[in-house]
């Protein structure tokens, strides 16, 4: 026969069990910092970044994850105008980095105060060896030359037209691309003879393209502001990453890639 436990003893046992569970629950809660296995949980950050940051952010991001083992970075690269559209449409993300202040200003209501983390300048990208002997901006007006530019709404496209207009140079591009990386790709693939890209883009493809420098007096300075998004669910970690971009370590990655100091 089963042994019956008096009601009073059952009640006392239940109270004791509950008392023992309270400290155990407190130890396991950890404010979301530990999972069921007791290992630290991962904070995932989504960073929307201008296409010209693709290479440097992949390298810098890997280093950031190593020095911040609780953080995982996911990058989404595109033209700044596309990134701004994503933010305006409520796409979930934590950090926004654009290639111009104008794009960032369009979503100021959705971001923290931006910090400029880098600067850049344009160069003329040509096929390796510069077979068409493009030496300066005015050479891009040659009607026999296939020139490709970023679209006017893209920061690189805006800067390109700004410097061409300032020199009174008319260029009729064979195509207008949605990002500066798309311009670079056209030159790399031989679909264009020349294109205006950032110095850092040409550097990233130095085995496939040549870079013709543009004098500073004829050039434009691209500024890269970074900001956290107000709807971020990981505001603290997002703020830390943006601050890191301005730190000596973050700046070394950017400058080693050819970006200029902010």
């Amino acid at each position: 026969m089963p042994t019956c436990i008096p009601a009073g003893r059952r009640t006392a046992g239940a109270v004791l069990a509950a008392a023992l569970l309270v400290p155990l629950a407190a130890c396991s809660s950890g404010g979301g910092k530990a999972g069921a296995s007791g290992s630290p949980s991962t904070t995932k950050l989504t960073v929307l970044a201008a296409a010209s940051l693709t290479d440097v952010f992949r390298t810098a991001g890997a280093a950031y994850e190593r020095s911040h083992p609780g953080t995982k970075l996911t990058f989404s690269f595109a033209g700044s105008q596309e990134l701004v559209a994503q933010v305006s449409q409520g796409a979930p993300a934590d950090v926004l980095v654009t290639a111009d202040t104008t794009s960032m200003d369009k979503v100021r209501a959705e971001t923290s105060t931006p910090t400029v983390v880098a600067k850049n300048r344009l160069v003329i990208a040509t096929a390796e060896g510069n077979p068409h002997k493009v030496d300066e901006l005015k050479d891009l007006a040659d009607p026999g030359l296939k020139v490709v530019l970023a679209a006017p709404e893209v920061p690189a496209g805006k800067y390109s037209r700004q410097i061409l207009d300032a020199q009174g140079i008319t260029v009729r591009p064979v195509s207008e691309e949605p990002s500066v990386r798309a311009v670079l790709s056209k030159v790399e693939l031989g679909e264009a003879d020349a294109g205006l890209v950032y110095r850092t883009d040409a550097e990233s493809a130095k085995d496939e393209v040549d870079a013709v420098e543009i004098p500073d007096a004829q050039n434009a300075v691209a500024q890269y502001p970074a900001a956290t998004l107000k709807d971020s669910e990981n505001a603290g970690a997002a703020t830390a990453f943006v601050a890191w971009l301005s730190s000596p370590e973050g700046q070394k990655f950017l400058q080693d890639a050819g970006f200029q100091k902010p």
Side-chain angles (χ1 to χ4, degrees):
M1 293 181 58
T3 302
C4 295
I5 299 175
R9 289 176 61 187
R10 288 200 302 270
T11 302
V15 171
L16 177 60
L20 291 172
L21 287 172
V22 169
L24 289 174
C27 290
S28 64
S29 63
K33 296 182 180 179
S37 64
S39 60
S41 61
T42 299
T43 298
K44 296 180 179 180
L45 292 181
T46 297
V47 179
L48 306 179
S52 50
L53 292 164
T54 300
D55 297 298
V56 65
F57 266 21
R58 284 176 176 164
T59 302
Y64 187 83
E65 290 178 348
R66 288 193 295 270
S67 60
H68 299 74
T71 301
K72 173 67 177 177
L73 299 173
T74 298
F75 294 104
S76 177
F77 299 106
S80 295
Q81 79 289 350
E82 293 182 28
L83 302 178
V84 166
Q86 291 176 33
V87 171
S88 298
Q89 293 164 9
D94 303 285
V95 175
L96 173 65
V97 190
T98 61
D100 67 337
T101 56
T102 301
S103 295
M104 182 68 76
D105 287 343
K106 292 178 180 179
V107 287
R108 283 297 299 273
E110 285 81 30
T111 72
S112 65
T113 301
T115 300
V116 174
V117 297
K119 292 180 180 179
N120 215 340
R121 291 180 183 273
L122 294 173
V123 298
I124 304 169
T126 73
E128 187 178 11
N130 193 3
H132 294 277
K133 308 303 178 186
V134 177
D135 296 320
E136 53 188 328
L137 278 175
K138 68 179 183 180
D139 292 340
L140 299 180
D142 182 349
L145 197 69
K146 292 187 293 184
V147 179
V148 63
L149 300 176
E153 62 271 19
V154 181
K158 178 189 70 176
Y159 294 132
S160 296
R161 286 159 181 80
Q162 176 183 322
I163 66 174
L164 291 170
D165 290 347
Q167 299 301 312
I169 300 169
T170 299
V171 174
R172 293 179 173 80
V174 294
S175 69
E176 297 182 331
E177 300 300 316
S179 75
V180 69
R181 278 308 174 95
V183 174
L184 181 66
S185 179
K186 289 282 187 180
V187 177
E188 286 181 286
L189 295 172
E191 297 176 10
D193 300 321
L196 286 172
V197 302
Y198 296 120
R199 179 179 292 157
T200 53
D201 294 301
E203 177 64 21
S204 73
K206 59 185 178 182
D207 292 334
E208 288 81 30
V209 304
D210 281 4
V212 178
E213 293 289 334
I214 301 170
D216 286 350
Q218 299 177 14
N219 217 326
V221 178
Q223 299 189 69
Y224 290 72
T228 60
L229 295 176
K230 292 180 179 178
D231 287 342
S232 170
E233 296 182 356
N234 303 290
T239 300
F241 177 69
V242 170
W244 181 84
L245 291 174
S246 295
S247 72
E249 184 181 4
Q251 284 294 298
K252 186 176 189 309
F253 280 102
L254 288 162
Q255 290 164 33
D256 284 352
F259 289 88
Q260 298 174 336
K261 294 180 180 180

